[in-house]
Amino acid sequence: MVKVYEINGVTPVVHPSAYVHPSAVLIGDVIIGPRCYVGPLASIRGDFGRLILEEGANLQDTCVMHGFPGCDTVVEVDGHIGHGAVLHGCRIGRNALVGMNAVVMDNAVIGAECVVAAMSFVKAGMLVPPRSMVVGAPARVTRALSDEEIKWKSGGTAQYHELAVRSMRSMREVEALSEVEAGRKRIDWESSLPLHLHKNASA
């Protein structure tokens, strides 16, 4: 059962086709769109501003979304928010990726099909053009992204679309086994390579 809390008479909205892990917490003015994936221990705390995940977006393990009163924090269609990232009062464009443990601050706008590198700190008010690579603390635009890199990103997000469906169909709470069973099966699922390995494989 997903942890969903009303505050000041405002209740989170979760589309029936979205998957939200039971350990995630949704408070107040939160709108989760179709085909979204929200990972374990994510905190989506709409007790001040409105928080929106548009269709096909994913917000992974231990991510935080929050914002100031009167503002919207938005992850647009197919936005991809990596483990541990923090979004505060910002907008993440269509098909953009925010890497693990990155922070994007108030009134920053990450354009469509951008990549914000892991551990980057995007300052308040920064406007990032579409198809940009953003790196550093403070973050800066380092170059344009290639078609190959954007294709790689889109492939990774498609896996999270599939994971939302797979989680709804097969994830259930169970007791842990006490030992590894003989011939233990692996999760047989096609996955993309990390970008640096993908580039090497396609070179």
Side-chain angles (χ1 to χ4, degrees):
M1 195 71 178
V2 178
K3 294 182 174 69
V4 175
Y5 300 91
E6 175 188 288
I7 189 169
N8 292 95
V10 181
T11 301
V13 176
V14 178
H15 191 276
S17 65
Y19 175 77
V20 180
H21 191 274
S23 65
V25 177
L26 281 56
I27 299 172
D29 198 357
V30 172
I31 301 170
I32 308 295
R35 301 170 57 239
C36 289
Y37 173 89
V38 177
L41 303 174
S43 174
I44 310 178
R45 188 159 66 85
D47 47 14
F48 291 132
R50 178 168 293 172
L51 312 177
I52 302 169
L53 294 183
E54 293 185 354
E55 182 170 0
N58 67 75
L59 189 82
Q60 297 173 22
D61 322 44
T62 72
C63 287
V64 174
M65 285 183 75
H66 196 239
F68 285 117
C71 78
D72 293 354
T73 304
V74 181
V75 180
E76 294 183 8
V77 173
D78 289 344
H80 188 108
I81 312 302
H83 317 288
V86 177
L87 308 180
H88 202 282
C90 58
R91 177 173 285 268
I92 309 302
R94 178 185 54 80
N95 201 34
L97 181 152
V98 176
M100 298 180 221
N101 289 310
V103 176
V104 185
M105 291 299 294
D106 300 277
N107 299 313
V109 178
I110 305 299
E113 299 185 323
C114 286
V115 171
V116 177
M119 304 290 289
S120 294
F121 180 82
V122 178
K123 294 192 295 187
M126 184 176 183
L127 304 179
V128 178
R131 295 178 64 112
S132 297
M133 174 66 79
V134 181
V135 179
R140 60 186 180 87
V141 174
T142 59
R143 61 178 176 84
L145 290 169
S146 68
D147 291 343
E148 179 189 11
E149 288 169 322
I150 293 169
K151 182 180 177 182
W152 170 84
K153 184 273 162 200
S154 298
T157 300
Q159 290 175 14
Y160 273 87
H161 296 161
E162 294 167 343
L163 179 58
V165 173
R166 184 157 52 102
S167 297
M168 285 190 284
R169 288 179 178 169
S170 69
M171 189 181 295
R172 60 193 179 96
E173 189 170 0
V174 296
E175 294 291 326
L177 301 175
S178 58
E179 58 184 44
V180 178
E181 64 271 52
R184 181 177 175 84
K185 66 183 266 188
R186 291 184 178 270
I187 294 178
D188 185 19
W189 201 258
E190 187 175 336
S191 180
S192 63
L193 296 169
L195 184 57
H196 69 287
L197 295 177
H198 171 78
K199 286 181 175 179
N200 291 340
S202 56

